[in-house]
Amino acid sequence: MDIINEIKKLKKENEAIILAHYYVNDELQEIADYVGDSFYLSKIAATTNAKQIIFAGVKFMGESAKILNYDKRVFLLDENATCAMAHMATVKRILEMKSKYENLAVVCYINSTMELKKYSDVCVTSANAIKIVSKLPNKNIFFIPDQNLGNYVKEQVKDKNIIVNDGFCPIHHEVKLDSVRKLKKQFPLAIVLAHPECKREILEEADFIGSTSMIIDAVNNYDNDEFIVLTENGVLYELRNKYPNKQFYEVREQMVCVDMKKNTIEKLYDVLVNETNEVKISIEDRNLALKPLEEMLRYAK
Ligand code: CIZ
Ligand code: SF4
């Protein structure tokens, strides 16, 4: 059996679209109808006419697609693919902060569980966090769950009182300063592109800081032939496709999200055949979690 042709056939029969995040395996990015970051993919999910949305990503992405387009059937390739950072904040702390500060906006990085979104005022992604936080009418901001993106936004948006939760992405947070410096020595002409989920000491080594989509676009702005890429290594697939004449380097310890890599072609085929791993959310939860996602889409316009 040619699994790729079977997937294409089943996708048509099911009236399904396949969405893939930049961090998943190459062959999934290749077969997907849309590849992008979570902001782009959530906009596609919100407006598609397809009957089924099949998400190669992690759980919060499938949940967000279901919340934004509740009448569609949404499927994940692996129910156990979750984002470690998504769980690194608590409703208890949100409620404490709400009672402590007047006029507080809870800003929730989209890499969060649905439970956290239900108690948040607006979602952001790494592509729009600065823009949205700047536009908010509130003086006090509680940014969850990521400390690194939160602190980066805080440095950029000076006129707000931004309190940052202490979560982190294990993949980005663990990049070693020493490996980055070694790589820079080895390739002195390389431009360093870093994701804001990296620690401050790493961001200080970077020439450009931005989300995956911003990193991909940023390459256009440089004449250099070499780039050091400090984000999950799935993004190298798009970078090498888009810029075949440029060289992209990764740190020695490699940045690999094991949850993103749980998505495979075989699981995609299985979902199309057996309709497994459907995302189910109660209407009550959906309505509560919809508000911050819709606010994100409105503010980001
Ligand atoms: O927002 C996203 O999709 C994530 C998780 C990373 C990025 O920068 O695109
Ligand atoms: Fe979550 Fe980090 Fe994996 Fe992104 S790379 S999905 S933030 S654990």
Side-chain angles (χ1 to χ4, degrees):
M1 176 185 74
D2 177 351
I3 194 165
I4 302 293
N5 281 335
E6 282 300 310
I7 288 171
K8 287 182 181 159
K9 203 173 92 196
L10 287 163
K11 194 183 72 168
K12 271 205 193 117
E13 283 171 17
N14 294 13
E15 293 181 51
I17 55 165
I18 301 167
L19 309 186
H21 192 271
Y22 285 132
Y23 291 165
V24 300
N25 293 317
D26 298 0
E27 62 269 26
L28 287 167
Q29 295 193 47
E30 197 175 324
I31 203 167
D33 297 291
Y34 299 91
V35 183
D37 63 8
S38 50
F39 181 48
Y40 171 75
L41 295 174
S42 61
K43 283 189 292 187
I44 302 286
T47 51
T48 181
N49 292 322
K51 285 198 180 136
Q52 297 185 354
I53 301 171
I54 306 198
F55 219 123
V58 288
K59 191 170 176 192
F60 78 81
M61 296 178 179
E63 278 179 354
S64 299
K66 182 69 184 173
I67 292 163
L68 284 164
N69 207 337
Y70 197 66
D71 295 336
K72 305 292 174 191
R73 297 183 71 189
V74 179
F75 299 87
L76 285 162
L77 302 196
D78 187 323
E79 281 184 319
N80 298 317
T82 180
C83 166
M85 183 211 280
H87 305 269
M88 291 189 193
T90 63
V91 170
K92 182 167 172 273
R93 181 99 203 279
I94 294 177
L95 297 177
E96 274 167 22
M97 296 305 270
K98 278 190 175 173
S99 65
K100 188 165 169 195
Y101 290 91
E102 257 177 50
N103 188 22
L104 176 90
V106 179
V107 175
C108 179
Y109 189 21
I110 197 164
N111 299 31
S112 296
T113 60
M114 181 179 66
E115 200 55 23
L116 293 170
K117 290 189 177 83
K118 280 165 53 181
Y119 292 87
S120 298
D121 296 296
V122 59
C123 286
V124 297
T125 69
S126 38
N128 59 32
I130 292 173
K131 178 173 173 179
I132 291 179
V133 171
S134 319
K135 279 192 188 174
L136 291 175
N138 316 66
K139 173 84 182 151
N140 296 317
I141 308 286
F142 183 36
F143 191 99
I144 62 164
D146 185 22
Q147 56 179 279
N148 293 314
L149 179 64
N151 284 324
Y152 177 65
V153 172
K154 190 178 163 116
E155 271 173 32
Q156 306 294 315
V157 187
K158 296 254 192 291
D159 60 333
K160 306 266 183 206
N161 175 34
I162 304 180
I163 303 126
V164 177
N165 185 69
D166 59 5
F168 58 91
C169 160
I171 291 89
H172 290 81
H173 196 72
E174 293 305 322
V175 176
K176 304 272 178 295
L177 184 56
D178 181 52
S179 324
V180 176
R181 290 205 170 135
K182 274 201 183 122
L183 210 50
K184 283 176 79 170
K185 254 205 185 120
Q186 198 181 345
F187 303 106
L189 297 178
I191 294 292
V192 180
L193 309 167
H195 195 280
E197 286 172 20
C198 296
K199 281 194 274 202
R200 190 171 199 282
E201 62 182 27
I202 301 295
L203 299 181
E204 281 171 4
E205 299 288 322
D207 299 295
F208 178 87
I209 300 167
S211 68
T212 52
S213 50
M214 291 160 77
I215 284 176
I216 292 163
D217 292 344
V219 172
N220 263 323
N221 302 336
Y222 298 95
D223 293 330
N224 305 51
D225 295 324
E226 298 176 313
F227 295 83
I228 292 169
V229 183
L230 303 177
T231 189
E232 211 278 346
N233 75 355
V235 87
L236 294 168
Y237 175 74
E238 177 72 11
L239 285 168
R240 288 178 178 143
N241 265 345
K242 200 162 175 190
Y243 306 103
N245 299 323
K246 310 254 181 193
Q247 296 299 317
F248 299 97
Y249 307 120
E250 350 174 29
V251 278
R252 185 188 46 199
E253 62 268 32
Q254 288 197 315
M255 299 175 69
V256 180
C257 177
V258 285
D259 283 282
M260 284 287 184
K261 272 33 177 189
K262 286 178 184 165
N263 291 278
T264 63
I265 279 282
E266 289 74 22
K267 289 178 191 169
L268 170 58
Y269 174 75
D270 193 58
V271 165
L272 282 162
V273 174
N274 298 312
E275 304 192 345
T276 43
N277 304 333
E278 183 165 1
V279 178
K280 301 269 191 197
I281 293 174
S282 75
I283 187 71
E284 293 78 18
D285 282 347
R286 184 265 178 164
N287 289 342
L288 289 170
L290 178 63
K291 186 198 62 171
L293 283 167
E294 281 189 335
E295 283 295 272
M296 171 180 81
L297 296 176
R298 188 171 72 83
Y299 273 109
K301 271 202 184 125

